[in-house]
Amino acid sequence: RDCYQFIKQPGHEIVRPDAELTELLVNSGYTLLCEAQKPENIICTYSPRVHNQPPEKAWIKDWETPHPTLLVNNYGKGKVVYFANQPDQSNFDMGHPDLRNTLNRSIRYLIQPDIPVSTNAPESVHIGLTQSYSHPGRYVCSLVNTSTAPKRPMRTLIPVRDIEVTLRLDGRSMKKYSVLRSQGDVELSHNQNEIRFKVRQLDDFCALHIEMNT
């Protein structure tokens, strides 16, 4: 608790939106105090704990340390993002947007512009796209609704309506599709390898099976 991360590279796309407003990001959980082989790859560093004091006394001499909390590297044609702390666990426990934002931007940094899914669904709808290894060109796209009152465990789901999803799949064009489960009507259109579908109402779960011409 009472820990932070110092933004060492404010111009990097993973932290740039935050760096325009602050030099520090929240930290939580456990942090592995390691050192980087290439210091130039460090995006954020661990900051020593700020002990609870009156505000005018709650400070430390130097926010930056040699211990990275977030760094990037290249391996051949690939890229990697390494977290020395626990942004996933901490985001689940405390839900601070600093942790969620760095995870979200890291994923986009690694795979953009190859993200095959776009949607207008709220963040409380989880979308998964699964491709078959044994049958190339076959996909299942699933939507799980977790929209509910801010109380756990979930007891009542709030339906979400008019969800639009666009998929860009490997293949020349769509061969066929089937709706495996849906509470509302599903409208689907396609143009070559771009598939668009609209779910009128999502209560809990919806899934579509799509087969492409490869």
Side-chain angles (χ1 to χ4, degrees), residues 99-117:
L99 307 167
R100 183 170 63 252
N101 289 339
T102 52
L103 282 171
N104 183 14
R105 296 190 200 114
S106 294
I107 294 171
R108 294 182 178 277
Y109 167 75
L110 291 174
I111 65 176
Q112 218 165 14
D114 298 323
I115 300 176
V117 181

Side-chain angles (χ1 to χ4, degrees), residues 125 142-146 157-163 179-186 198-208:
V125 174
S142 59
L143 294 80
V144 179
N145 182 26
T146 65
L157 290 174
I158 301 173
V160 181
R161 294 178 173 83
D162 297 328
I163 298 176
V179 178
L180 304 179
R181 176 185 168 91
S182 179
Q183 289 83 42
D185 294 335
V186 176
K198 185 173 184 178
V199 179
R200 287 296 181 183
Q201 179 168 320
L202 175 65
D203 292 339
D204 53 9
F205 180 76
C206 174
L208 279 74

Side-chain angles (χ1 to χ4, degrees), residues 124-184:
S124 53
V125 174
H126 300 175
I127 299 181
L129 179 64
T130 304
Q131 181 178 12
S132 171
Y133 285 110
S134 58
H135 298 86
R138 296 184 183 181
Y139 297 84
V140 171
C141 183
S142 59
L143 294 80
V144 179
N145 182 26
T146 65
S147 305
T148 183
K151 185 181 294 185
R152 294 294 187 271
M154 293 187 296
R155 300 185 183 278
T156 303
L157 290 174
I158 301 173
V160 181
R161 294 178 173 83
D162 297 328
I163 298 176
E164 298 178 2
V165 180
T166 300
L167 307 175
R168 287 167 294 279
L169 306 178
D170 293 335
R172 301 189 309 274
S173 61
M174 189 185 74
K175 183 177 181 180
K176 60 181 179 180
Y177 81 96
S178 60
V179 178
L180 304 179
R181 176 185 168 91
S182 179
Q183 289 83 42

